[in-house]
Amino acid sequence: MFYIYCPYCQEHREEEEFHAAGQAHIARPADPDNCTDEEWGDYLYFRKNPRGLHHEMWVHAAGCRKFFNMTRDTQSYEIKEVYKMGEQPQIVSEQDSIARGTA
Amino acid sequence: MSDVTNVEASSPVQAGEQAAKPQVAVMNLLAGEGPRADSPLAHAELGAIAKQSDAKGGVCLQELKLLGHLVLRGDPNNQSFVAGVTKVLGVALPAALKTEVIGELSVHWVSPDEWLLIMPAKQAFQLERELRAELTGHYAIVNVSGGQTVLRLTGPDVDKVLCKSTPYDVHERNFPVGKVVTSVFAKSQAVISRSGEEAWDLVVRRSFADYLWLWLQDASAEYGLQIKG
């Protein structure tokens, strides 16, 4: 069981109040009419399944009903951080840094 | 048949002033004297049970039925929204997980941009009109009186019943008087607020009211359940 900190309620709650809502930070192609089928297909259907750090969305379904982001280790199940919608993660894996061009 | 006299524009636009303020038709949802209004637990006939039972139990249940419930939404960082609400209510909107009680009106924090206002049914229409007259810009007020009901639990053993029903820690150090949380309750949800040392209010959905009534009877059986009509 997770014991999850909701950044909106500002306290820890039991996992059964939450629902996982998939991968976070999925950017919609800026110009869908002119992107390739591959880009659109990646956006719609293809998701990461990393072994290690994963940025994902959760929703406090039985509480304040707000979505927020979480960085979680899929191996150890450790929750590294939670952060509000629109914010960027503080903890990123090496692959993420390379993909973002910040490494 | 809607009573036409009960439908009003929230704020008549005066010539040259606030021309952009949209007109909203607000309807008084009170049925009036004619049609009978039934609470979600009307079929349980709590009043009749209360007369029959004189048992002194560790848990006392009372339905605070047919109250007025308004959901108020807006941005707490918007100064004009906060100032307008404060002017109408007389107090500032409560911060996270807090309840504010002003006479017969209670204001519960539900979410960072959402509050639940509970008051006697007859005041709901008036309060909604006052808020709409005062507020401008991006906000929402919805009368949800028919969609939920309040169950008041009192007694020395209520905390034990709550421990069985919700994963949230209801101990004094984590759940002082005046706090409100929305959490899982049995297999449903409830807005749980502590109004006194041994007094708790549950705001539950109408469609779950019967299920939770049955659940509460079962969960409090070992402590003795007393019904207050």
Side-chain angles (χ1 to χ4, degrees), chain A residues 8-9 11 13-14 16-17 61-66, chain B residues 97 110-114 167-168 179 181-183 189:
Chain A
Y8 295 98
C9 293
E11 63 177 20
R13 299 290 185 90
E14 291 291 334
E16 62 183 291
E17 292 189 15
C64 62
R65 309 193 305 282
K66 293 285 178 197
Chain B
L97 306 177
V110 176
S111 159
D113 53 8
E114 181 174 349
Y168 195 77
K179 191 171 182 177
V181 301
T182 312
S183 185
Q189 295 172 15

Side-chain angles (χ1 to χ4, degrees), chain B:
Chain B
M1 294 292 113
S2 66
D3 184 348
V4 178
T5 56
N6 278 344
V7 181
E8 288 186 12
S10 65
S11 60
V13 176
Q14 290 160 6
E17 188 204 336
Q18 295 178 336
K21 189 165 178 174
Q23 296 255 5
V24 181
V26 186
M27 188 183 287
N28 188 351
L29 299 185
L30 266 191
E33 298 304 320
R36 189 187 71 199
D38 273 344
S39 86
L41 286 180
H43 64 285
E45 297 182 335
L46 298 181
I49 299 174
K51 278 177 198 152
Q52 288 167 11
S53 69
D54 55 352
K56 292 277 174 284
V59 179
C60 178
L61 171 75
Q62 182 186 17
E63 184 193 12
L64 305 182
K65 58 188 175 187
L66 302 176
L67 294 175
H69 298 238
L70 294 178
V71 168
L72 171 66
R73 300 201 68 165
D75 182 1
N77 297 319
N78 178 348
Q79 291 302 322
S80 76
F81 170 76
V82 173
V85 174
T86 307
K87 188 175 168 188
V88 174
L89 298 183
V91 290
L93 283 167
L97 306 177
K98 291 278 182 290
T99 290
E100 199 74 60
V101 180
I102 316 108
E104 292 180 302
L105 169 74
S106 59
V107 185
H108 304 280
W109 183 94
V110 176
S111 159
D113 53 8
E114 181 174 349
W115 292 266
L116 175 63
L117 282 54
I118 300 179
M119 73 224 80
K122 284 183 178 167
Q123 296 173 13
F125 185 43
Q126 179 63 26
L127 182 64
E128 181 175 355
R129 282 189 301 180
E130 286 174 18
L131 284 168
R132 285 192 186 279
E134 193 63 39
L135 298 179
T136 53
H138 194 60
Y139 72 95
I141 304 170
V142 182
N143 189 325
V144 294
S145 304
Q148 49 198 28
T149 190
V150 181
L151 302 178
R152 173 161 289 173
L153 294 168
T154 48
D157 294 320
V158 175
D159 52 346
K160 292 178 199 131
V161 172
L162 293 175
C163 284
K164 294 190 207 178
S165 310
T166 173
Y168 195 77
D169 180 9
V170 297
H171 190 278
E172 179 77 47
R173 66 173 173 255
N174 188 56
F175 208 143
V177 175
K179 191 171 182 177
V180 58
V181 301
T182 312
S183 185
V184 173
F185 195 91
K187 292 187 180 181
S188 172
Q189 295 172 15
V191 180
I192 308 165
S193 59
R194 188 169 199 167
S195 50
E197 287 298 321
E198 292 181 352
W200 304 75
D201 287 344
L202 309 177
V203 181
V204 302
R205 292 291 182 96
R206 180 180 198 97
S207 52
F208 285 112
D210 180 57
Y211 161 70
L212 289 168
W213 155 238
L214 296 174
W215 172 278
L216 287 169
Q217 283 179 85
D218 191 38
S220 52
E222 62 177 298
Y223 312 110
L225 178 63
Q226 197 187 344
I227 306 296
K228 211 166 150 187

